[in-house]
Amino acid sequence: PSSDEGLGLVLIEGIACGALALASRVGGMPEVFGDLAHEYILEDSDPQRWALRFLQVATCDVSHRRSEWIRLDTQIRRRFDGSKQWDKMIRVV
């Protein structure tokens, strides 16, 4: 897990490509996960805790993994829509 991260573009891209991801509570990671942060953000750097959570995510039922990915992907696309970001930036500039 990253111990120093800004927005977490790699995280967003990974989820956009169909991956379920875990992250540490640094930088913009909680913002990326939003309401789902409590499920995918780990508070500490304990390797055993990370391994256990990783195994839970990696070995869950395929239909559950797909529904979880849809939840994450939908939330991220809603919050990080490029056209919305550009519109906001244009107004500020």
Side-chain angles (χ1 to χ4, degrees):
S2 179
S3 60
D4 183 29
E5 192 71 48
L7 172 63
L9 187 56
V10 170
L11 179 68
I12 293 170
E13 290 170 343
I15 293 169
C17 289
L20 283 180
L22 302 174
S24 50
R25 185 173 294 282
V26 297
M29 299 304 162
E31 183 181 354
V32 170
F33 284 103
D35 296 340
L36 304 175
H38 67 281
E39 297 177 48
Y40 295 96
I41 298 263
L42 280 83
E43 299 291 337
D44 59 34
S45 60
D46 177 6
Q48 289 182 330
R49 191 175 308 228
W50 275 89
L52 176 61
R53 185 64 180 122
F54 177 77
L55 282 172
Q56 289 170 339
V57 169
T59 61
C60 69
D61 179 78
V62 173
S63 62
H64 177 71
R65 185 178 311 127
R66 173 105 176 118
S67 66
E68 286 297 293
W69 173 78
I70 289 170
R71 287 175 59 208
L72 277 172
D73 186 64
T74 300
Q75 175 170 281
I76 289 171
R77 289 179 189 275
R78 186 177 64 241
R79 299 178 81 211
F80 294 97
D81 181 304
S83 63
K84 291 177 185 176
Q85 300 295 352
W86 280 110
D87 288 344
K88 289 177 186 177
M89 190 169 72
I90 289 170
R91 280 186 237 125
V92 169
V93 173

